[in-house]
């Protein structure tokens, strides 16, 4: 510990470009994902979203029920951290759409994507495609702060 404020790994060999060897940023918490699609949607939840943040790395899980909607905006929910958010990705472990989905994280928004889109091309889903469906998944974020 460095004066009681984190774990100091300075006895290890430095890598080129390393800026810190102090682990002083760890956090766990719950996160209620909100609509990031500009569709004004309100989700219901099977379980609260949860996250663990270790330095710049964040692991997030979610379980939400989409409302019934015909909104054509891209299906996007909020990430628990957006300040300095750079990128991330993940998977949907279970969903009521009946096909494999993946996660694309960009600029603080978590987008749902279809692995089995026409022609084999992955594509972002719309709110209407997720209408009334429960979706459970997880993703990681790499923060740039």
């Amino acid at each position: 510990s460095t004066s009681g404020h984190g774990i100091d790994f300075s006895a290890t060999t430095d890598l080129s470009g390393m800026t810190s060897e102090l682990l002083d940023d760890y956090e766990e918490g719950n996160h209620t994902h909100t609509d990031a699609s500009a569709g004004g949607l309100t989700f219901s939840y099977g379980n609260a979203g949860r996250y663990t943040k270790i330095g710049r790395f964040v692991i997030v899980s979610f379980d939400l029920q989409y409302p019934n909607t015909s909104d054509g905006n891209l299906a996007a929910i909020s990430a628990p951290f957006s300040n300095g958010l750079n990128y991330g990705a993940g998977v949907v472990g279970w969903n009521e759409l009946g096909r494999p989905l993946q996660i694309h994280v960009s600029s603080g928004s978590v987008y749902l994507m279809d692995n089995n889109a026409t022609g084999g091309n992955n594509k972002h889903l719309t709110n209407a495609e997720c209408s009334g469906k429960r979706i459970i998944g997880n993703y990681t974020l790499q923060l740039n702060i």
Side-chain angles (χ1 to χ4, degrees):
S1 164
T2 303
S3 302
H5 300 287
I7 300 171
D8 187 353
F9 294 99
S10 60
T12 61
T13 304
D14 290 345
L15 294 176
S16 176
M18 180 177 280
T19 59
S20 174
E21 294 182 330
L22 180 64
L23 176 59
D24 61 350
D25 185 6
Y26 178 88
E27 181 179 335
E28 294 177 352
N30 294 332
H31 175 68
T32 300
H33 289 80
T34 58
D35 180 34
S37 73
L41 304 179
T42 301
F43 305 110
S44 57
Y45 297 88
N47 295 294
R50 298 188 190 340
Y51 70 88
T52 301
K53 181 180 184 296
I54 305 168
R56 295 180 182 187
F57 183 69
V58 184
I59 305 162
V60 184
S61 64
F62 66 94
D63 178 351
L64 56 85
Q65 178 83 33
Y66 260 77
N68 291 324
T69 181
S70 59
D71 181 80
N73 291 335
L74 295 181
I77 56 178
S78 63
F81 297 93
S82 60
N83 184 19
L85 178 65
N86 196 11
Y87 59 90
V91 297
V92 172
W94 182 87
N95 70 80
E96 291 183 328
L97 279 81
R99 57 191 192 262
L101 302 178
Q102 62 189 11
I103 303 288
H104 167 225
V105 182
S106 178
S107 302
S109 294
V110 179
Y111 295 93
L112 299 173
M113 295 183 68
D114 186 344
N115 286 350
N116 290 342
T118 304
N121 296 319
N122 297 336
K123 72 165 188 101
H124 290 87
L125 295 174
T126 65
N127 288 334
E129 290 173 294
C130 296
S131 178
K133 305 298 184 192
R134 185 173 178 195
I135 301 172
I136 302 171
N138 59 62
Y139 54 94
T140 60
L141 304 175
Q142 296 293 323
L143 302 180
N144 194 22
I145 54 175

